[in-house]
Amino acid sequence: MVDTVVIGAGQAGLATSYWLSRAGVEHQLLEQRPELGGAWQDRWDSFYLNTPNFCFMLPGMTYDGPEPDAFLPRDAVIELFRNYARRIAAPVQLGTEVTRVARADGGFAANSGYTANEGFAVETSQGRWLAGNVVLANGAYQRPRVPASAAKLPRHIRQLHSHDYRNPAQLPGGAVLVVGTGQSGGQITEDLLAAGREVHLSVSACPEAPRRYRGKDTFYWLLQVNRHGPDYGINSLQAEQLPSPAARFMCNPLISGNDGGHSIRLRDLGRRGVRLHGHLEGADDGVLVFSDDLPARLALAEAGFGQRMKLILDAYITAAGIDAPTEEPASADDWQPAQSGARLDLDAEGITSVIWSTGYGLDFSFLDIPVLDQWNYPRHSRGVTEVPGLYTVGLPWLTRHASSTVALVGADAEYVAGHIAGR
Ligand SMILES: Cc1cc2nc3c(=O)[nH]c(=O)nc-3n(C[C@H](O)[C@H](O)[C@H](O)COP(=O)(O)OP(=O)(O)OC[C@H]3O[C@@H](n4cnc5c(N)ncnc54)[C@H](O)[C@@H]3O)c2cc1C
């Protein structure tokens, strides 16, 4: 029996633990993995964070090293989180998968000081916990999402999700099709190119973003707007202002932290020999069908940053009176794909493997409490769900876009921990 169970000991769970400890709330983190390091352990070998080091603003540990503008490689990120857990003395039980969370029966209420109908039974691979509060910090990047077309590919094609991709040597010889142009798809494509592989890339609807804007890393400005924008009447988009709840799942901009950090431009990839295709619409006996709108997709990806983010950043720089260099409008890139055929015969093109860089779905399958909306997202306000005692931290767009990132997860965690302490 414990006051609060936190499910997951990634950055969201650890940040919550920090604030719970500060508030003197007894708690226990349950983590299914044998080692700390959260979802960072699922990234490929050449992975570098997309966010620069100055974004490490975890409660109780902000980055104060010599390279604030550099990017950490995967293993250093994992190590950093292990250090963080030690530093904040997070009470983590590793190797413990939560398999079911349900309301506790009346017996728990009688023994715990909670009133009837409060409290939770938390079933795990290591036994049962009873808790007054439960924080869902199990991450948004656990359940790889694969389109239905995957089931229709011939058996000799090697398929894997970006979740399981580690390096090009994992793949058989021959050309590779990468499906999806979010951060994973773009970066894995570059990883394959660096290994001399022939790559086909199915373009989705993610915007490109400049690595640097007006003299700084783009994340620098994004962070400034989040932290100081309200002082000048400039607010980044909040979750409740999204045009639709489905927008919470829109992809992150194409960008990379590799090689000191750089933008990823789809037309550049095309220039470097990547064969670009439209959105994957279906598969039939080894022939894939793509949307026939590649030029429009390339234009849309290029326009993405300018349509919204650039306007907010410029408004902030002006309102705050910051002397930042102006940015010359990028000259139009008129590179066009040689052909944008809608059909691709895998065997004829020598494609032997497909990497699904198609993102993740939320996974709360252990939750036996009806609190999820039609998108599988807990119904909540600032992480406080509509079920008393049940909380969530670390999901994208919990309060804003960056709620799942190292930079801003701590603020949401603080609010949730404060609410728990208040109970
Ligand atoms: C390709 C990619 C690149 C990214 N790059 C960046 C970046 O540069 N900067 C950034 O800030 N963010 C980035 N992110 C987002 C990043 O993954 C998250 O910031 C971070 O991992 C989220 O931390 P978390 O604690 O919410 O979730 P996780 O790291 O997923 O931690 C959740 C933990 O819960 C555990 N868990 C899940 N289910 C159970 C269960 N039933 N029982 C017990 N334990 C359970 C998991 O094992 C996991 O350890 C990236 C994401 C992806 C996919």
Side-chain angles (χ1 to χ4, degrees):
M1 193 178 285
V2 66
D3 194 277
T4 298
V5 155
V6 179
I7 303 174
Q11 66 199 29
L14 294 174
T16 306
S17 173
Y18 173 88
W19 290 116
L20 288 174
S21 293
R22 284 273 298 250
V25 176
E26 179 208 26
H27 63 284
Q28 177 68 51
L29 281 79
L30 303 176
E31 168 56 55
Q32 65 188 3
R33 296 176 195 249
E35 305 270 10
L36 286 168
W40 303 112
Q41 295 166 96
D42 303 328
R43 304 284 89 89
W44 48 95
D45 295 346
S46 68
F47 177 82
Y48 277 73
L49 275 191
N50 307 298
T51 43
N53 294 341
F54 61 73
C55 288
F56 273 103
M57 297 181 353
L58 297 161
M61 192 176 85
T62 49
Y63 181 84
D64 60 357
E67 293 189 300
D69 296 321
F71 301 84
L72 286 184
R74 178 195 63 189
D75 292 348
V77 184
I78 293 169
E79 199 45 43
L80 184 141
F81 278 104
R82 292 179 181 166
N83 286 338
Y84 180 53
R86 276 192 291 272
R87 183 186 289 207
I88 66 171
V92 185
Q93 183 173 303
L94 292 168
T96 304
E97 183 191 359
V98 172
T99 52
R100 183 167 178 257
V101 175
R103 288 198 185 268
D105 55 27
F108 171 63
N111 290 330
S112 66
Y114 282 87
T115 57
N117 295 327
E118 284 191 325
F120 302 91
V122 180
E123 315 269 352
T124 82
S125 55
Q126 306 291 329
R128 186 169 192 252
W129 289 80
L130 294 169
N133 307 292
V134 168
V135 181
L136 308 168
N138 50 303
Y141 308 97
Q142 305 294 327
R143 191 167 62 82
R145 213 172 36 204
V146 175
S149 303
K152 297 184 183 153
L153 298 193
R155 293 173 70 90
H156 63 272
I157 301 291
R158 168 102 158 93
Q159 300 186 45
L160 74 172
H161 191 274
S162 56
H163 185 81
D164 300 307
Y165 173 77
R166 292 295 173 268
N167 55 56
Q170 244 178 325
L171 307 175
V176 186
L177 168 66
V178 177
V179 179
T181 48
Q183 291 176 351
S184 302
Q187 292 171 23
I188 290 172
T189 295
E190 292 196 324
D191 198 38
L192 294 166
L193 279 182
R197 303 298 292 258
E198 186 184 335
V199 189
H200 290 249
L201 181 60
S202 166
V203 175
S204 39
C206 308
E208 296 171 356
R211 180 75 263 180
R212 292 183 71 79
Y213 185 66
R214 300 193 63 177
K216 299 275 187 194
D217 192 280
T218 300
F219 278 97
Y220 171 84
W221 294 121
L222 292 174
L223 206 51
Q224 294 302 310
V225 172
N226 268 292
R227 299 174 75 194
H228 308 301
D231 300 343
Y232 303 100
I234 309 291
N235 292 299
S236 58
L237 200 59
Q238 304 294 301
E240 58 276 9
Q241 297 168 314
L242 284 172
S244 129
R248 292 173 296 188
F249 304 102
M250 63 191 171
C251 51
N252 291 310
L254 258 173
I255 206 162
S256 173
N258 266 56
D259 301 330
H262 60 275
S263 318
I264 298 181
R265 303 281 180 200
L266 293 169
R267 289 187 208 272
D268 281 343
L269 293 178
R271 228 178 255 114
R272 290 165 67 191
V274 174
R275 299 266 302 278
L276 302 175
H277 304 275
H279 184 259
L280 180 62
E281 304 284 332
D284 184 15
D285 201 20
V287 177
L288 303 188
V289 181
F290 298 98
S291 63
D292 201 6
D293 57 355
L294 180 58
R297 282 177 179 273
L298 297 181
L300 207 66
E302 278 168 341
F305 176 77
Q307 277 167 352
R308 192 172 60 81
M309 200 51 70
K310 175 182 182 308
L311 306 180
I312 294 178
L313 301 189
D314 286 342
Y316 169 75
I317 291 168
T318 304
I322 297 169
D323 183 17
T326 51
E327 194 83 17
E328 291 301 317
S331 50
D333 185 341
D334 54 8
W335 181 90
Q336 289 294 343
Q339 51 84 25
S340 55
R343 295 173 73 78
L344 181 72
D345 184 324
L346 295 176
D347 286 346
E349 295 292 340
I351 295 172
T352 56
S353 44
V354 173
I355 300 178
W356 301 106
S357 301
T358 39
Y360 290 82
L362 299 180
D363 186 5
F364 294 107
S365 49
F366 56 77
L367 201 53
D368 199 2
I369 298 172
V371 70
L372 302 179
D373 67 16
Q374 68 184 104
W375 291 272
N376 221 17
Y377 201 110
R379 286 185 292 272
H380 76 99
S381 169
R382 295 187 69 181
V384 181
T385 80
E386 59 185 36
V387 175
L390 187 63
Y391 299 85
T392 184
V393 175
L395 299 180
W397 286 105
L398 192 74
T399 57
R400 48 202 159 166
H401 193 175
S403 285
S404 67
T405 66
V406 289
L408 294 176
V409 68
D412 290 345
E414 182 178 12
Y415 181 80
V416 160
H419 200 280
I420 292 172
R423 292 187 86 217

